[in-house]
Amino acid sequence: NRKKAINKKHLSLSSRELTQNYLPNCHIIEGIEYGAEDITILDGLAFLSTGLKYPGLPSYSDDPGKIYSLNLLDSDLKIKALNIKGQFDKGSFNPHGISVYTDVKDGAIYLFVVNHPQGKSQVEIFRFVEDENALQYIRTIRHELLHNVNDIVAVGTESFYATNDHYFTNEILKVMEPLLSLSWCDVVYYTPQTVQVVAGGFPSANGINISPDKRHLYVSDILKHKISVMEIQKNTVLSHVKEVDVGSLCDNIEVDRESGDLWLGCHPNGLKFMLSDPNDPPGSEVIRIENILSEKPQVTQVYSDDGSVIIASSVATPYGGKLLIGTVYQKALICDLK
């Protein structure tokens, strides 16, 4: 039992203390009060997934979740709620991971959103209508293999890879799952013709993203404090390439389309994150991985805070010399990169 206790302590990095490592010129993004769990940027336009209600974690608003846009090319940096058009239930919208896909044929932009209405798991596909700052609802995807979806990376107008962060769907078993040291979580590949598990053996699979050349997938193996690198084979099955240690519980992964660098929003102390005590809040950490496919990837802490500025960071994404940092249930921050 002592060995198990030590293992749990290691899983959660519960004894880890954080030293502050700030970036210059940081500002709270006005209007984000209830989290921006995932953020992705397309040509200077950021999409923010906000208001996630996730079992076991705090939620400070009963309002449904929203997707916001933030134009990083505008000097005033004001968020705008995206109006959802079509036959879509906005009242139960509970957005989690998001991914943007541009159709090479006609330039249409699609936003894929993991949604948990009434605690369920499904994927919504929207088309972004830029001149109206709106999302046109297209369809909802549900499948028994998509049972606890955390994050998603779109690879076509109707196809994607998704991670499941739990194996069980029963709420009590879900809470027990990390304590049982199971490695039953997986990555699922979806197209309208075929749905299959393409990688497994994760204690919990969280963030997922793809390399700029579309040849490698990156998955956050959050409880092992590693990023898994996998190569996409011709038959869409994944072959394991390597794991990169990050020393933190990293949540979402954003990939710089120019350099190929990975940017990770992380939970430096998992126990504090799970307890979410307002008097001893979980901190935040941003980690960057350069040259991940080389023999010696460079892992650097770019930002860290003990929770006094920003609580429970889950995503970080750079654009034009700035860094956006989102959280699971609190604020969002924009800073200058040094």
Side-chain angles (χ1 to χ4, degrees):
N1 277 355
R2 185 162 178 271
K3 191 176 172 191
K4 272 196 170 172
I6 291 166
N7 185 32
K8 300 294 173 290
K9 203 170 176 183
H10 173 67
L11 275 184
S12 67
L13 299 177
S14 61
S15 53
R16 187 170 172 214
E17 292 299 328
L18 210 58
T19 49
Q20 311 284 50
N21 174 18
Y22 286 159
L23 286 166
N25 199 22
C26 287
H27 301 282
I28 295 293
I29 296 170
E30 220 172 302
I32 302 289
E33 301 292 334
Y34 309 115
E37 198 278 340
D38 203 4
I39 302 172
T40 194
I41 298 173
L42 180 71
D43 302 331
L45 187 70
F47 295 90
L48 297 88
S49 167
T50 74
L52 174 67
K53 293 157 191 65
Y54 192 87
L57 291 175
S59 168
Y60 297 109
S61 169
D62 293 330
D63 294 340
K66 288 190 176 73
I67 304 290
Y68 287 97
S69 65
L70 175 66
N71 189 341
L72 297 170
L73 304 172
D74 277 0
S75 53
D76 63 353
L77 291 176
K78 290 237 184 315
I79 59 165
K80 292 178 183 164
L82 289 171
N83 179 31
I84 298 177
K85 302 165 71 171
Q87 295 291 305
F88 181 75
D89 179 10
K90 293 185 243 187
S92 67
F93 194 33
N94 189 11
H96 199 168
I98 57 174
S99 178
V100 169
Y101 181 81
T102 306
D103 190 352
V104 286
K105 292 203 292 288
D106 59 3
I109 297 164
Y110 295 88
L111 186 71
F112 289 60
V113 182
V114 177
N115 184 17
H116 302 293
Q118 294 90 35
K120 297 193 289 276
S121 258
Q122 57 199 50
V123 173
E124 316 292 356
I125 304 179
F126 303 97
R127 191 167 51 80
F128 176 52
V129 188
E130 194 165 1
D131 52 1
E132 298 176 36
N133 202 53
L135 294 173
Q136 177 65 49
Y137 170 67
I138 294 174
R139 62 181 292 216
T140 297
I141 291 162
R142 299 183 189 93
H143 192 276
E144 57 187 22
L145 291 179
L146 300 167
H147 49 83
N148 282 297
V149 182
N150 181 300
D151 198 18
I152 187 171
V153 60
V155 291
T157 57
E158 295 184 294
S159 55
F160 56 83
Y161 289 91
T163 55
N164 283 306
D165 60 14
H166 286 78
Y167 173 78
F168 296 112
T169 49
N170 174 290
E171 290 308 328
I172 294 162
L173 290 174
K174 265 189 184 178
V175 173
M176 296 295 293
E177 201 172 313
L179 309 173
L180 298 171
S181 302
L182 304 173
S183 295
W184 291 356
C185 294
D186 51 27
V187 176
V188 174
Y189 177 63
Y190 177 93
T191 70
Q193 294 77 33
T194 174
V195 190
Q196 62 191 109
V197 172
V198 286
F202 297 96
S204 180
N206 277 50
I208 187 168
N209 219 316
I210 198 164
S211 60
D213 64 5
K214 310 282 192 277
R215 287 179 52 199
H216 292 89
L217 272 186
Y218 308 123
V219 177
S220 175
D221 195 344
I222 188 167
L223 294 176
K224 282 192 181 168
H225 324 138
K226 295 176 194 288
I227 300 299
S228 270
V229 181
M230 284 167 286
E231 192 171 359
I232 301 172
Q233 303 296 330
K234 287 271 187 286
N235 58 1
T236 69
V237 170
L238 307 177
S239 67
H240 181 82
V241 177
K242 64 166 149 184
E243 292 174 328
V244 177
D245 279 301
V246 285
S248 192
L249 286 87
C250 292
D251 202 327
N252 287 303
I253 303 169
E254 288 299 304
V255 177
D256 186 314
R257 294 283 146 223
E258 312 259 300
S259 65
D261 293 352
L262 277 67
W263 290 80
L264 315 168
C266 308
H267 308 294
N269 182 319
L271 183 66
K272 282 191 180 184
F273 174 60
M274 290 315 293
L275 294 175
S276 292
D277 176 358
N279 300 314
D280 184 19
S284 293
E285 185 171 33
V286 174
I287 290 172
R288 175 188 193 177
I289 307 178
E290 297 167 88
N291 307 314
I292 192 164
L293 298 172
S294 71
E295 287 293 300
K296 288 190 177 164
Q298 208 176 336
V299 178
T300 316
Q301 184 198 69
V302 177
Y303 175 92
S304 69
D305 171 56
D306 61 6
S308 53
V309 176
I310 191 167
I311 291 171
S313 58
S314 53
V315 64
T317 183
Y319 183 82
K322 295 204 177 295
L323 184 70
L324 266 133
I325 306 171
T327 66
V328 181
Y329 54 81
Q330 198 224 11
K331 301 179 191 308
L333 200 64
I334 187 162
C335 303
D336 288 346
L337 282 166
K338 288 170 184 157

